[in-house]
């Protein structure tokens, strides 16, 4: 029996450490994954703000994690500094999205709240009254500031700490990108992957991919980054997860098949 993505090449732009899970699921659907890491996740240049936050965890009312990377790095650093995870478990915990919640549950406990929309902009509404509360945001160095701004506007004291850095992988990918065949779909999972891929393709003389290959985005913020560069997302996942991204690819493939049938 033919699989729904049989023979389709799907470009994966996630960091190497996160690409294989998506690739494995795509192979199961018959696709040929093309892994091109556009960004790398690196430790912060300065651990002191992280260590200081970890040692004063008991002073925070909420800890909000916006990515699985944030959970892994933060709890890993807790172990290195000798602070038991029970201290984190005793705080109120929030995550953006089920993947981050799943990792948090694996290493500590399930979060108290997850917004129905898997977007950081939706989080302030689910925390309730934050007037006078202290909220810790362990996340990437390039994280958007809108959520922190909104929480402060509502009266919270917000401490943002960079627990990891996002670095573009431009030079490392140059030789690889020239050898890649043209994909049938390009997956984009963050604004960072969008900007980094665009720069890679520009330097490789392949910007036409962004104009002619369907761009499948994991969520609206990633889609906005595509539009800011002057391109158009073909489809945005309804559920902003890996499963939602795969579903969006399937829907786009089905739409193409239908168009070709009627051509």
């Amino acid at each position: 029996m033919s699989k729904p993505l049989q023979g389709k090449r799907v470009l994966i732009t996630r960091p190497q450490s996160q690409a294989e899970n998506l690739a494995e699921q795509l192979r199961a659907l018959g696709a040929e994954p093309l892994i091109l890491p556009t960004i790398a996740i690196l430790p912060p240049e300065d651990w002191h703000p992280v260590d200081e936050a970890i040692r004063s965890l008991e002073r925070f009312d909420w800890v909000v994690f916006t990515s699985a990377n944030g959970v892994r790095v933060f709890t890993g650093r807790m172990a290195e500094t000798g602070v038991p995870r029970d201290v984190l478990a005793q705080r109120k915990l929030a995550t953006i999205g089920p993947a981050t919640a799943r990792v948090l549950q694996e290493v500590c406990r399930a979060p108290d709240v997850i917004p129905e929309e898997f977007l950081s902009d939706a989080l302030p509404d689910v925390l309730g009254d934050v007037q006078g509360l202290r909220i810790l945001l362990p996340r990437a160095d390039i994280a958007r500031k809108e959520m922190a701004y909104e929480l402060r506007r509502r009266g919270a004291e917000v401490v943002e700490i960079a627990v990891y850095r996002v670095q573009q992988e431009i030079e490392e990918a140059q030789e690889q990108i020239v050898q890649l065949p043209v994909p049938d779909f390009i997956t984009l999972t963050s604004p960072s992957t969008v900007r980094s891929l665009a720069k890679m393709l520009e330097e490789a003389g392949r910007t036409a991919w962004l104009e002619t290959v369907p761009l499948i985005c994991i969520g609206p913020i990633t889609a906005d980054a595509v539009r800011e560069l002057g391109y158009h997302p073909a489809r945005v996942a309804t559920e902003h997860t890996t499963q939602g991204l795969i579903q969006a690819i399937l829907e786009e493939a089905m739409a193409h098949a239908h168009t070709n049938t009627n051509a």
Side-chain angles (χ1 to χ4, degrees), residues 129-150:
D129 183 5
V130 296
Q131 179 72 41
L133 299 184
R134 297 191 83 229
I135 300 175
L136 179 63
L137 303 181
R139 48 193 189 153
D141 60 334
I142 59 169
R144 297 167 68 243
K145 300 294 184 183
E146 284 81 353
M147 179 172 63
Y149 174 83
E150 179 60 22

Side-chain angles (χ1 to χ4, degrees), residues 180-194:
L180 284 177
V182 179
D184 295 288
F185 305 101
I186 294 175
T187 61
L188 297 162
T189 51
S190 70
S192 301
T193 63
V194 173

Side-chain angles (χ1 to χ4, degrees), residues 34-91:
L34 307 175
I35 298 178
L36 178 72
T38 57
I39 58 174
I41 304 300
L42 302 175
E45 292 183 345
D46 184 1
W47 281 110
H48 285 96
V50 181
D51 293 348
E52 184 177 339
I54 287 173
R55 293 192 176 101
S56 62
L57 257 181
E58 293 178 343
R59 297 174 55 203
F60 289 96
D61 299 288
W62 281 95
V63 181
V64 177
F65 293 101
T66 57
S67 72
N69 287 323
V71 174
R72 293 191 185 98
V73 175
F74 187 79
T75 54
R77 191 65 181 177
M78 286 183 68
E80 291 177 19
T81 54
V83 176
R85 291 182 183 175
D86 286 350
V87 180
L88 177 63
Q90 290 165 10
R91 312 269 67 76

Side-chain angles (χ1 to χ4, degrees), residues 188 194 215 217 221-233:
L188 297 162
V194 173
L215 306 177
C217 298
I221 294 172
T222 301
D224 285 346
V226 170
R227 296 187 188 95
E228 286 169 7
L229 293 177
Y231 302 103
H232 300 285

Side-chain angles (χ1 to χ4, degrees), residues 84-257:
R85 291 182 183 175
D86 286 350
V87 180
L88 177 63
Q90 290 165 10
R91 312 269 67 76
K92 290 183 178 179
L93 305 178
T95 63
I96 309 296
T100 306
R102 188 164 50 250
V103 173
L104 182 62
Q105 185 164 12
E106 288 171 359
V107 300
C108 183
R109 69 168 175 82
D112 296 285
V113 297
I114 309 174
E116 288 188 13
E117 283 188 285
F118 305 151
L119 299 170
S120 59
D121 293 351
L123 189 106
D125 286 340
V126 301
L127 293 188
D129 183 5
V130 296
Q131 179 72 41
L133 299 184
R134 297 191 83 229
I135 300 175
L136 179 63
L137 303 181
R139 48 193 189 153
D141 60 334
I142 59 169
R144 297 167 68 243
K145 300 294 184 183
E146 284 81 353
M147 179 172 63
Y149 174 83
E150 179 60 22
L151 290 170
R152 290 188 180 108
R153 192 189 68 79
R154 298 184 185 200
E157 180 185 347
V158 180
V159 175
E160 300 174 83
I161 52 170
V163 294
Y164 62 93
R165 286 182 292 139
V166 177
Q167 177 176 286
Q168 292 186 329
E169 292 284 82
I170 307 294
E171 294 182 6
E172 290 78 359
Q174 287 310 304
E175 185 175 343
Q176 184 183 357
I177 201 168
V178 170
Q179 297 174 352
L180 284 177
V182 179
D184 295 288
F185 305 101
I186 294 175
T187 61
L188 297 162
T189 51
S190 70
S192 301
T193 63
V194 173
R195 290 187 280 269
S196 188
L197 177 66
K199 193 168 183 179
M200 286 178 178
L201 294 176
E202 180 181 353
E203 296 190 6
R206 289 192 158 183
T207 53
W209 286 12
L210 296 171
E211 299 167 349
T212 60
V213 179
L215 306 177
I216 314 297
C217 298
I218 200 168
I221 294 172
T222 301
D224 285 346
V226 170
R227 296 187 188 95
E228 286 169 7
L229 293 177
Y231 302 103
H232 300 285
R235 204 165 289 264
V236 181
T238 303
E239 181 183 293
H240 315 313
T241 63
T242 297
Q243 289 306 317
L245 187 70
I246 292 173
Q247 180 60 35
I249 297 170
L250 289 169
E251 291 170 1
E252 185 66 15
M254 189 178 299
H256 275 243

